[in-house]
Coordinates of all heavy atoms in Angstrom, one line a residue:
D215 N 11.0 16.3 5.4 CA 10.8 15.9 6.8 C 9.9 14.8 6.9 O 8.9 14.7 6.2 CB 10.3 17.2 7.6 CG 11.4 18.2 7.7 OD1 12.6 18.0 7.6 OD2 11.0 19.4 7.8
P216 N 10.2 13.8 7.9 CA 9.2 12.8 8.1 C 7.8 13.3 8.5 O 7.7 14.3 9.2 CB 9.9 11.9 9.2 CG 11.2 12.3 9.2 CD 11.3 13.8 8.7
Y217 N 6.8 12.5 8.1 CA 5.5 12.9 8.6 C 4.6 11.6 8.6 O 5.0 10.5 8.2 CB 4.8 14.0 7.7 CG 4.5 13.5 6.3 CD1 3.2 13.2 6.0 CD2 5.5 13.5 5.3 CE1 3.0 12.7 4.7 CE2 5.3 13.1 4.1 CZ 3.9 12.8 3.7 OH 3.6 12.4 2.4
S218 N 3.4 11.7 9.2 CA 2.6 10.6 9.3 C 1.3 10.6 8.5 O 0.7 11.8 8.4 CB 2.3 10.4 10.8 OG 1.4 9.4 11.0
V219 N 0.8 9.6 8.0 CA -0.6 9.5 7.4 C -1.2 8.3 7.9 O -0.7 7.3 8.3 CB -0.5 9.4 5.8 CG1 0.1 10.7 5.2 CG2 0.3 8.2 5.4
N220 N -2.6 8.4 8.0 CA -3.4 7.2 8.4 C -3.8 6.6 7.1 O -4.4 7.2 6.2 CB -4.6 7.6 9.2 CG -4.2 8.2 10.6 OD1 -3.3 7.8 11.2 ND2 -4.9 9.3 10.9
I221 N -3.6 5.2 7.0 CA -4.0 4.5 5.8 C -4.6 3.2 6.1 O -4.5 2.7 7.2 CB -2.7 4.2 4.9 CG1 -1.6 3.6 5.8 CG2 -2.2 5.5 4.3 CD1 -0.4 3.1 5.0
W222 N -5.3 2.7 5.1 CA -5.9 1.3 5.2 C -4.8 0.3 4.8 O -4.1 0.5 3.8 CB -7.1 1.1 4.3 CG -8.3 1.9 4.8 CD1 -8.4 2.8 5.9 CD2 -9.6 1.9 4.2 NE1 -9.6 3.3 6.0 CE2 -10.4 2.8 4.9 CE3 -10.1 1.2 3.1 CZ2 -11.8 2.9 4.7 CZ3 -11.5 1.4 2.8 CH2 -12.2 2.3 3.6
V223 N -4.7 -0.8 5.5 CA -3.7 -1.8 5.3 C -4.4 -3.1 5.1 O -5.2 -3.4 5.9 CB -2.7 -1.8 6.3 CG1 -1.6 -2.8 6.1 CG2 -2.0 -0.4 6.5
V224 N -3.9 -3.9 4.2 CA -4.3 -5.3 4.0 C -3.0 -6.2 4.1 O -2.1 -6.0 3.5 CB -5.0 -5.5 2.7 CG1 -5.3 -7.0 2.4 CG2 -6.3 -4.7 2.6
G225 N -3.1 -7.2 5.0 CA -2.1 -8.2 5.1 C -2.2 -9.4 4.3 O -3.4 -9.9 4.3
M226 N -1.2 -9.8 3.6 CA -1.2 -11.0 2.8 C 0.2 -11.7 3.0 O 1.2 -11.0 2.6 CB -1.5 -10.7 1.3 CG -2.8 -10.4 0.9 SD -3.2 -10.0 -0.8 CE -1.8 -10.7 -1.6
G227 N 0.2 -12.9 3.5 CA 1.5 -13.6 3.6 C 2.4 -12.8 4.7 O 1.8 -12.3 5.7
N228 N 3.6 -12.5 4.3 CA 4.5 -11.8 5.1 C 4.6 -10.3 4.7 O 5.4 -9.6 5.1 CB 5.9 -12.3 5.1 CG 6.6 -12.2 3.8 OD1 5.9 -12.0 2.8 ND2 7.9 -12.3 3.7
A229 N 3.6 -9.9 3.9 CA 3.6 -8.5 3.4 C 2.3 -7.7 3.8 O 1.3 -8.4 4.0 CB 3.7 -8.4 1.9
L230 N 2.4 -6.4 3.9 CA 1.3 -5.5 4.1 C 1.1 -4.8 2.8 O 2.1 -4.4 2.1 CB 1.5 -4.5 5.2 CG 1.6 -5.1 6.6 CD1 2.0 -4.0 7.6 CD2 0.3 -5.8 7.0
Y231 N 0.0 -4.4 2.4 CA -0.3 -3.7 1.2 C -1.0 -2.4 1.5 O -2.0 -2.4 2.3 CB -1.2 -4.6 0.2 CG -0.4 -5.6 -0.4 CD1 -0.2 -6.9 0.3 CD2 0.1 -5.5 -1.7 CE1 0.6 -7.9 -0.2 CE2 0.9 -6.6 -2.3 CZ 1.0 -7.7 -1.5 OH 1.7 -8.8 -2.1
V232 N -0.6 -1.3 1.0 CA -1.3 0.0 1.1 C -1.7 0.5 -0.3 O -1.0 0.2 -1.3 CB -0.4 1.1 1.7 CG1 -0.1 0.6 3.2 CG2 0.9 1.3 1.0
H233 N -2.9 1.0 -0.4 CA -3.5 1.4 -1.7 C -4.0 2.8 -1.6 O -4.7 3.2 -0.8 CB -4.6 0.4 -1.8 CG -5.4 0.5 -3.2 ND1 -6.7 0.8 -3.2 CD2 -4.9 0.4 -4.4 CE1 -7.1 0.8 -4.6 NE2 -6.0 0.6 -5.3
A234 N -3.5 3.5 -2.7 CA -3.9 4.9 -2.8 C -4.9 5.1 -3.9 O -5.2 6.2 -4.3 CB -2.7 5.8 -2.9
G235 N -5.4 4.1 -4.6 CA -6.2 4.2 -5.8 C -5.4 4.9 -6.8 O -4.2 4.7 -7.0
A236 N -6.1 5.8 -7.5 CA -5.4 6.5 -8.6 C -4.9 7.9 -8.1 O -4.4 8.7 -8.9 CB -6.4 6.9 -9.7
N237 N -4.9 8.1 -6.7 CA -4.5 9.4 -6.2 C -3.0 9.3 -5.9 O -2.5 8.6 -5.1 CB -5.2 9.5 -4.8 CG -4.8 10.9 -4.2 OD1 -4.2 11.7 -4.8 ND2 -5.0 10.9 -2.9
R238 N -2.2 10.0 -6.7 CA -0.7 10.2 -6.5 C -0.5 11.2 -5.4 O 0.0 12.3 -5.7 CB 0.0 10.6 -7.8 CG 1.5 10.5 -7.6 CD 2.2 10.4 -8.9 NE 3.7 10.6 -8.7 CZ 4.5 9.7 -8.4 NH1 4.0 8.4 -8.1 NH2 5.8 9.9 -8.3
A239 N -0.8 10.8 -4.2 CA -0.6 11.7 -3.0 C 0.9 11.9 -2.8 O 1.8 11.2 -3.2 CB -1.3 11.1 -1.8
T240 N 1.1 12.9 -1.9 CA 2.5 13.2 -1.5 C 3.2 12.0 -0.8 O 4.4 11.7 -1.1 CB 2.5 14.4 -0.5 OG1 1.9 15.5 -1.1 CG2 3.9 14.7 -0.1
W241 N 2.5 11.2 0.0 CA 3.1 10.1 0.6 C 3.5 9.0 -0.4 O 4.5 8.3 -0.3 CB 2.3 9.4 1.7 CG 0.9 9.0 1.3 CD1 -0.3 9.6 1.3 CD2 0.6 7.6 1.1 NE1 -1.3 8.8 1.0 CE2 -0.8 7.6 0.9 CE3 1.3 6.4 1.0 CZ2 -1.5 6.4 0.6 CZ3 0.6 5.2 0.6 CH2 -0.7 5.2 0.4
I242 N 2.8 9.0 -1.6 CA 3.2 8.1 -2.7 C 4.4 8.5 -3.3 O 5.4 7.8 -3.6 CB 1.9 7.9 -3.7 CG1 0.8 7.2 -3.1 CG2 2.4 7.3 -5.0 CD1 1.0 5.8 -2.7
E243 N 4.5 9.8 -3.7 CA 5.7 10.4 -4.2 C 6.9 10.2 -3.3 O 8.0 9.8 -3.8 CB 5.5 11.9 -4.5 CG 4.5 12.2 -5.6 CD 4.2 13.7 -5.8 OE1 4.9 14.5 -5.2 OE2 3.3 14.0 -6.6
N244 N 6.6 10.3 -2.0 CA 7.8 10.1 -1.1 C 8.3 8.7 -1.0 O 9.4 8.4 -1.0 CB 7.4 10.5 0.3 CG 7.2 12.0 0.5 OD1 7.8 12.8 -0.3 ND2 6.6 12.5 1.5
M245 N 7.4 7.7 -1.1 CA 7.8 6.3 -1.2 C 8.4 6.0 -2.5 O 9.3 5.1 -2.5 CB 6.5 5.3 -0.9 CG 6.1 5.2 0.4 SD 5.0 3.9 0.8 CE 3.9 3.9 -0.6
D246 N 8.1 6.6 -3.6 CA 8.8 6.4 -4.9 C 10.2 6.9 -4.8 O 11.1 6.4 -5.4 CB 8.1 7.1 -6.0 CG 6.8 6.3 -6.5 OD1 6.8 5.1 -6.2 OD2 6.0 6.9 -7.1
T247 N 10.4 8.0 -4.1 CA 11.8 8.7 -3.9 C 12.6 7.8 -2.9 O 13.7 7.6 -3.2 CB 11.6 10.1 -3.4 OG1 10.9 10.9 -4.4 CG2 13.0 10.7 -3.2
D248 N 12.0 7.4 -1.8 CA 12.7 6.7 -0.7 C 11.8 5.6 -0.2 O 10.9 5.8 0.5 CB 13.1 7.5 0.4 CG 13.9 6.9 1.5 OD1 14.1 5.6 1.4 OD2 14.3 7.5 2.4
P249 N 12.0 4.3 -0.7 CA 11.1 3.2 -0.3 C 11.2 2.8 1.2 O 10.4 1.9 1.6 CB 11.5 2.1 -1.2 CG 12.9 2.3 -1.5 CD 13.0 3.9 -1.6
N250 N 12.1 3.4 2.0 CA 12.2 3.0 3.3 C 11.2 3.7 4.1 O 11.2 4.9 4.2 CB 13.6 3.3 3.9 CG 14.8 2.5 3.2 OD1 14.6 1.3 3.1 ND2 15.8 3.2 2.8
V251 N 10.2 3.0 4.7 CA 9.1 3.5 5.4 C 9.1 2.9 6.8 O 9.6 1.9 7.1 CB 7.8 3.3 4.7 CG1 7.8 4.0 3.3 CG2 7.4 1.9 4.6
R252 N 8.3 3.6 7.7 CA 8.0 3.1 9.1 C 6.5 3.1 9.2 O 5.8 4.0 8.7 CB 8.6 4.0 10.2 CG 10.1 4.0 10.0 CD 10.8 4.8 11.1 NE 10.3 6.1 10.9 CZ 10.5 7.1 11.9 NH1 11.1 6.9 13.1 NH2 10.1 8.3 11.7
L253 N 6.0 2.0 9.8 CA 4.6 1.8 10.0 C 4.4 1.6 11.5 O 5.0 0.8 12.1 CB 4.0 0.6 9.2 CG 2.5 0.4 9.4 CD1 1.9 0.2 8.0 CD2 2.3 -0.8 10.3
Q254 N 3.5 2.4 12.1 CA 3.2 2.2 13.5 C 1.9 1.5 13.7 O 0.8 1.9 13.0 CB 3.1 3.5 14.2 CG 2.9 3.4 15.7 CD 2.9 4.7 16.5 OE1 3.3 5.7 15.9 NE2 2.6 4.7 17.8
A255 N 1.9 0.4 14.4 CA 0.6 -0.3 14.8 C 0.6 -0.4 16.3 O 1.5 -1.0 16.8 CB 0.6 -1.7 14.1
G256 N -0.4 0.2 17.0 CA -0.3 0.3 18.4 C 0.9 1.1 18.8 O 1.1 2.2 18.3
D257 N 1.7 0.5 19.8 CA 2.9 1.2 20.2 C 4.2 0.7 19.5 O 5.2 1.1 19.9 CB 3.0 0.9 21.7 CG 2.0 1.6 22.5 OD1 1.4 2.7 22.1 OD2 1.6 1.1 23.6
T258 N 4.0 -0.2 18.5 CA 5.2 -0.7 17.9 C 5.4 0.0 16.5 O 4.5 0.2 15.7 CB 5.0 -2.2 17.6 OG1 4.7 -2.8 18.8 CG2 6.2 -2.8 17.0
I259 N 6.6 0.3 16.2 CA 7.0 0.9 14.8 C 7.8 -0.1 14.2 O 8.9 -0.7 14.6 CB 7.8 2.2 15.1 CG1 7.0 3.3 15.7 CG2 8.3 2.7 13.7 CD1 7.6 4.6 16.1
Y260 N 7.4 -0.4 12.9 CA 8.1 -1.4 12.0 C 8.9 -0.7 10.9 O 8.3 0.2 10.3 CB 7.0 -2.4 11.4 CG 6.2 -3.1 12.4 CD1 5.0 -2.6 12.9 CD2 6.6 -4.3 12.9 CE1 4.3 -3.3 13.9 CE2 5.9 -5.1 13.8 CZ 4.7 -4.5 14.3 OH 4.0 -5.2 15.3
Q261 N 10.0 -1.1 10.7 CA 10.9 -0.6 9.6 C 10.6 -1.5 8.4 O 10.8 -2.7 8.4 CB 12.3 -0.7 10.0 CG 12.7 0.0 11.3 CD 12.7 1.5 11.2 OE1 12.9 2.1 10.2 NE2 12.3 2.1 12.3
L262 N 10.0 -0.9 7.3 CA 9.6 -1.6 6.1 C 10.2 -1.0 4.8 O 10.6 0.2 4.9 CB 8.1 -1.6 6.0 CG 7.3 -2.2 7.3 CD1 5.8 -1.8 7.1 CD2 7.7 -3.6 7.4
A263 N 10.2 -1.8 3.8 CA 10.5 -1.3 2.4 C 9.3 -1.5 1.6 O 8.6 -2.4 1.5 CB 11.7 -2.1 1.9
A264 N 9.0 -0.4 0.8 CA 7.9 -0.3 -0.1 C 8.3 -0.5 -1.5 O 9.2 0.0 -2.0 CB 7.2 1.1 0.1
T265 N 7.5 -1.4 -2.2 CA 7.7 -1.6 -3.6 C 6.3 -1.5 -4.3 O 5.3 -2.1 -3.8 CB 8.2 -3.1 -3.9 OG1 9.4 -3.2 -3.2 CG2 8.5 -3.3 -5.3
R266 N 6.3 -0.7 -5.4 CA 5.0 -0.6 -6.1 C 4.7 -2.0 -6.8 O 5.6 -2.5 -7.5 CB 5.1 0.5 -7.1 CG 3.8 0.8 -7.8 CD 3.7 2.0 -8.7 NE 2.4 2.2 -9.2 CZ 2.2 3.0 -10.2 NH1 3.1 3.8 -10.6 NH2 0.9 3.1 -10.7
V267 N 3.4 -2.3 -6.7 CA 3.0 -3.5 -7.3 C 2.6 -3.2 -8.8 O 1.8 -2.3 -9.0 CB 1.7 -4.1 -6.6 CG1 1.1 -5.2 -7.4 CG2 2.0 -4.5 -5.2
T268 N 3.2 -3.8 -9.7 CA 2.9 -3.6 -11.1 C 2.3 -4.9 -11.8 O 1.9 -4.8 -13.0 CB 4.3 -3.2 -11.8 OG1 5.2 -4.2 -11.7 CG2 4.8 -1.8 -11.3
S269 N 2.2 -6.0 -11.1 CA 1.7 -7.2 -11.7 C 0.2 -7.2 -11.4 O -0.3 -7.1 -10.3 CB 2.4 -8.4 -10.9 OG 1.5 -9.6 -11.1
Q270 N -0.5 -7.4 -12.5 CA -2.0 -7.5 -12.4 C -2.4 -8.8 -11.6 O -3.4 -8.7 -10.8 CB -2.6 -7.6 -13.8 CG -4.1 -7.5 -13.8 CD -4.7 -6.2 -13.3 OE1 -4.3 -5.1 -13.7 NE2 -5.6 -6.2 -12.4
D271 N -1.6 -9.8 -11.7 CA -1.9 -11.0 -11.0 C -1.9 -10.8 -9.5 O -2.7 -11.2 -8.7 CB -1.0 -12.2 -11.3 CG -1.4 -12.8 -12.6 OD1 -2.4 -12.6 -13.1 OD2 -0.4 -13.5 -13.3
E272 N -0.8 -10.1 -9.0 CA -0.7 -9.7 -7.6 C -1.7 -8.8 -7.1 O -2.3 -9.0 -6.1 CB 0.7 -9.2 -7.3 CG 1.0 -8.9 -5.9 CD 2.5 -8.5 -5.6 OE1 3.2 -8.2 -6.5 OE2 2.7 -8.3 -4.4
F273 N -2.1 -7.9 -8.0 CA -3.2 -6.9 -7.7 C -4.5 -7.7 -7.5 O -5.3 -7.5 -6.6 CB -3.4 -5.9 -8.7 CG -4.5 -4.8 -8.4 CD1 -4.1 -3.7 -7.6 CD2 -5.8 -5.0 -8.7 CE1 -5.1 -2.8 -7.2 CE2 -6.8 -4.1 -8.4 CZ -6.4 -3.0 -7.6
D274 N -4.7 -8.7 -8.4 CA -5.9 -9.5 -8.4 C -6.0 -10.3 -7.1 O -7.1 -10.4 -6.5 CB -6.1 -10.4 -9.6 CG -6.3 -9.6 -10.9 OD1 -6.7 -8.3 -10.8 OD2 -6.1 -10.2 -12.0
R275 N -4.9 -10.8 -6.7 CA -4.9 -11.6 -5.4 C -5.1 -10.7 -4.2 O -5.7 -11.1 -3.2 CB -3.5 -12.3 -5.2 CG -3.3 -13.4 -6.1 CD -2.0 -14.3 -5.8 NE -0.8 -13.5 -5.7 CZ 0.0 -13.2 -6.7 NH1 -0.4 -13.6 -7.9 NH2 1.1 -12.5 -6.5
Y276 N -4.7 -9.4 -4.3 CA -4.9 -8.5 -3.2 C -6.4 -8.0 -3.1 O -6.9 -7.7 -2.0 CB -4.0 -7.2 -3.5 CG -4.4 -5.9 -2.9 CD1 -4.2 -5.6 -1.6 CD2 -5.2 -5.0 -3.6 CE1 -4.6 -4.4 -1.0 CE2 -5.7 -3.9 -3.1 CZ -5.4 -3.5 -1.7 OH -5.8 -2.3 -1.2
S277 N -7.1 -8.0 -4.2 CA -8.4 -7.4 -4.4 C -9.4 -8.1 -3.4 O -10.3 -7.6 -2.8 CB -8.9 -7.3 -5.8 OG -8.1 -6.4 -6.5
A278 N -9.4 -9.5 -3.4 CA -10.3 -10.3 -2.6 C -10.2 -10.0 -1.1 O -11.2 -9.7 -0.4 CB -10.2 -11.8 -2.9
P279 N -9.0 -10.1 -0.5 CA -8.8 -9.7 0.9 C -9.2 -8.2 1.2 O -9.8 -8.0 2.3 CB -7.3 -9.9 1.2 CG -6.8 -10.8 0.2 CD -7.7 -10.5 -1.0
Y280 N -8.9 -7.3 0.3 CA -9.4 -5.9 0.4 C -10.8 -5.9 0.6 O -11.4 -5.2 1.4 CB -8.8 -5.1 -0.7 CG -9.3 -3.7 -0.7 CD1 -8.4 -2.7 -0.2 CD2 -10.5 -3.3 -1.1 CE1 -8.8 -1.3 -0.1 CE2 -10.9 -1.9 -1.0 CZ -10.0 -0.9 -0.5 OH -10.4 0.4 -0.5
E281 N -11.6 -6.5 -0.4 CA -13.0 -6.5 -0.4 C -13.6 -7.1 0.8 O -14.6 -6.7 1.5 CB -13.5 -7.2 -1.6 CG -15.1 -7.1 -1.7 CD -15.7 -7.6 -3.0 OE1 -14.8 -8.1 -3.9 OE2 -16.9 -7.6 -3.2
E282 N -12.9 -8.2 1.3 CA -13.4 -8.9 2.5 C -13.3 -8.0 3.7 O -14.2 -7.9 4.6 CB -12.6 -10.2 2.7 CG -13.1 -11.0 3.9 CD -12.3 -12.3 4.0 OE1 -12.0 -13.0 3.0 OE2 -12.0 -12.7 5.1
K283 N -12.2 -7.3 3.8 CA -11.9 -6.4 5.0 C -12.8 -5.2 5.0 O -13.3 -4.8 6.0 CB -10.4 -6.1 5.0 CG -10.0 -5.3 6.3 CD -8.6 -5.1 6.3 CE -8.2 -4.4 7.6 NZ -6.7 -4.2 7.8
Y284 N -12.9 -4.5 3.8 CA -13.5 -3.2 3.8 C -14.9 -3.3 3.2 O -15.6 -2.2 3.1 CB -12.6 -2.3 3.0 CG -11.3 -2.1 3.8 CD1 -10.1 -2.5 3.2 CD2 -11.2 -1.5 5.0 CE1 -8.9 -2.3 3.9 CE2 -10.1 -1.2 5.7 CZ -9.0 -1.7 5.2 OH -7.7 -1.5 5.9
G285 N -15.4 -4.4 2.7 CA -16.8 -4.5 2.2 C -17.1 -4.1 0.8 O -18.2 -4.2 0.3
N286 N -16.0 -3.6 0.1 CA -16.2 -3.2 -1.3 C -14.8 -3.5 -2.0 O -13.8 -3.4 -1.4 CB -16.4 -1.7 -1.4 CG -17.7 -1.2 -0.9 OD1 -18.8 -1.8 -1.3 ND2 -17.7 -0.4 0.0
P287 N -14.9 -3.8 -3.3 CA -13.6 -4.0 -4.0 C -13.0 -2.6 -4.2 O -13.6 -1.6 -4.2 CB -14.0 -4.6 -5.3 CG -15.5 -4.1 -5.6 CD -16.0 -4.0 -4.2
P288 N -11.6 -2.7 -4.5 CA -11.0 -1.4 -5.0 C -11.8 -0.8 -6.1 O -12.3 -1.5 -7.0 CB -9.6 -1.8 -5.4 CG -9.4 -3.1 -4.6 CD -10.7 -3.8 -4.6
R289 N -11.9 0.5 -6.2 CA -12.6 1.1 -7.3 C -12.1 1.0 -8.7 O -12.8 0.7 -9.6 CB -12.6 2.7 -7.0 CG -13.5 3.2 -6.1 CD -13.6 4.7 -6.0 NE -14.1 5.0 -4.7 CZ -13.9 6.2 -4.2 NH1 -13.4 7.2 -4.9 NH2 -14.3 6.5 -3.0
N290 N -10.8 0.9 -8.8 CA -10.2 0.7 -10.1 C -9.4 -0.6 -10.0 O -8.5 -0.7 -9.1 CB -9.3 1.9 -10.5 CG -8.7 1.8 -11.8 OD1 -8.6 0.7 -12.4 ND2 -8.4 2.9 -12.4
L291 N -9.7 -1.5 -10.8 CA -9.1 -2.9 -10.8 C -7.9 -3.0 -11.8 O -7.4 -4.1 -11.9 CB -10.1 -4.0 -11.0 CG -11.2 -4.0 -9.9 CD1 -12.3 -5.1 -10.4 CD2 -10.7 -4.2 -8.6
N292 N -7.5 -1.9 -12.4 CA -6.4 -1.9 -13.4 C -5.1 -1.6 -12.7 O -4.9 -0.3 -12.4 CB -6.7 -1.1 -14.6 CG -5.6 -1.1 -15.7 OD1 -4.4 -1.6 -15.3 ND2 -5.9 -0.6 -16.8
V293 N -4.1 -2.5 -12.5 CA -3.0 -2.1 -11.7 C -2.2 -1.0 -12.3 O -1.5 -0.3 -11.6 CB -2.1 -3.4 -11.5 CG1 -1.4 -3.8 -12.7 CG2 -1.1 -3.2 -10.4
A294 N -2.2 -0.8 -13.6 CA -1.5 0.2 -14.3 C -2.0 1.6 -14.0 O -1.3 2.6 -14.2 CB -1.5 0.0 -15.8
E295 N -3.2 1.7 -13.4 CA -3.8 3.0 -13.2 C -3.9 3.3 -11.7 O -4.5 4.4 -11.3 CB -5.2 3.0 -13.8 CG -5.1 2.8 -15.3 CD -6.6 2.7 -15.9 OE1 -7.6 2.7 -15.2 OE2 -6.6 2.6 -17.1
V296 N -3.3 2.5 -10.8 CA -3.5 2.8 -9.4 C -2.1 2.6 -8.7 O -1.1 2.2 -9.3 CB -4.4 1.7 -8.7 CG1 -5.8 1.8 -9.3 CG2 -3.9 0.3 -8.8
Y297 N -2.1 3.1 -7.5 CA -0.9 3.0 -6.7 C -1.1 2.1 -5.5 O -1.8 2.3 -4.5 CB -0.5 4.4 -6.1 CG -0.3 5.4 -7.2 CD1 -1.3 6.3 -7.7 CD2 0.9 5.4 -7.8 CE1 -1.0 7.1 -8.7 CE2 1.2 6.3 -8.9 CZ 0.3 7.1 -9.3 OH 0.4 8.0 -10.4
L298 N -0.6 0.8 -5.7 CA -0.6 -0.2 -4.7 C 0.8 -0.6 -4.4 O 1.6 -0.8 -5.3 CB -1.3 -1.4 -5.2 CG -1.3 -2.7 -4.4 CD1 -2.1 -2.4 -3.0 CD2 -1.9 -3.8 -5.0
Y299 N 1.1 -0.6 -3.0 CA 2.5 -0.9 -2.6 C 2.5 -2.1 -1.6 O 1.7 -2.1 -0.8 CB 3.1 0.4 -1.9 CG 3.4 1.5 -2.9 CD1 2.5 2.2 -3.4 CD2 4.8 1.6 -3.3 CE1 2.8 3.2 -4.4 CE2 5.1 2.5 -4.3 CZ 4.1 3.3 -4.8 OH 4.4 4.3 -5.8
R300 N 3.6 -2.9 -1.8 CA 3.8 -4.0 -1.0 C 4.8 -3.6 0.1 O 5.9 -3.0 -0.3 CB 4.4 -5.2 -1.8 CG 4.7 -6.4 -0.9 CD 5.3 -7.5 -1.8 NE 5.0 -7.5 -3.2 CZ 5.9 -7.0 -4.2 NH1 7.0 -6.4 -3.8 NH2 5.6 -7.0 -5.4
L301 N 4.6 -3.7 1.4 CA 5.5 -3.3 2.4 C 6.0 -4.6 3.1 O 5.2 -5.4 3.5 CB 4.8 -2.5 3.4 CG 4.1 -1.3 3.0 CD1 3.4 -0.5 4.2 CD2 5.0 -0.3 2.2
V302 N 7.3 -4.8 3.1 CA 8.0 -5.9 3.7 C 9.1 -5.5 4.6 O 9.6 -4.4 4.5 CB 8.6 -6.9 2.6 CG1 7.5 -7.5 1.8 CG2 9.6 -6.2 1.8
P303 N 9.4 -6.3 5.6 CA 10.5 -5.9 6.5 C 11.8 -5.6 5.8 O 12.1 -6.2 4.8 CB 10.7 -7.2 7.4 CG 9.4 -7.9 7.3 CD 8.9 -7.6 6.0
R304 N 12.5 -4.6 6.3 CA 13.8 -4.3 5.7 C 14.9 -5.2 6.3 O 14.8 -5.6 7.5 CB 14.3 -2.9 6.0 CG 13.4 -1.8 5.5 CD 14.1 -0.4 5.6 NE 13.2 0.4 6.4 CZ 13.6 1.5 7.0 NH1 14.8 1.8 7.0 NH2 12.7 2.3 7.6

């Protein structure tokens, strides 16, 4: 069944990025099973597709805007050990 989670989001280019650190939460498992997600910002709901980021270069590009927005870098900087997803329009 669909459900909602509150998450931190970083925008880069035409994509949003969501980061769960090393926590393989239920919402991460659900995105791995079905990458079609919806994101609500204000009163608008966006239909998006989630793809796990596996490139260390892309993770490194994400880390600077994350730190700028939230005041700290991601705890774990090794992309192979974290769950970072790129969300783009479907």
Side-chain angles (χ1 to χ4, degrees):
D215 292 331
Y217 68 98
S218 176
V219 295
N220 294 321
I221 54 174
W222 288 5
V223 178
V224 172
M226 286 180 16
N228 69 340
L230 296 174
Y231 288 79
V232 295
H233 184 240
N237 181 17
R238 187 166 171 78
T240 301
W241 62 273
I242 293 296
E243 292 178 8
N244 290 342
M245 283 195 313
D246 282 342
T247 301
D248 182 357
N250 295 312
V251 299
R252 295 182 300 170
L253 181 133
Q254 182 174 353
D257 293 331
T258 304
I259 296 177
Y260 300 90
Q261 304 291 327
L262 304 170
T265 304
R266 185 171 180 189
V267 173
T268 57
S269 161
Q270 187 65 49
D271 287 339
E272 186 173 3
F273 184 88
D274 293 344
R275 287 191 308 273
Y276 157 83
S277 295
Y280 179 96
E281 183 172 359
E282 183 177 321
K283 185 173 183 178
Y284 296 114
N286 293 304
R289 280 188 206 161
N290 187 334
L291 299 176
N292 182 344
V293 73
E295 298 174 357
V296 299
Y297 298 97
L298 174 65
Y299 286 80
R300 178 185 339 99
L301 306 178
V302 295
R304 301 191 232 159

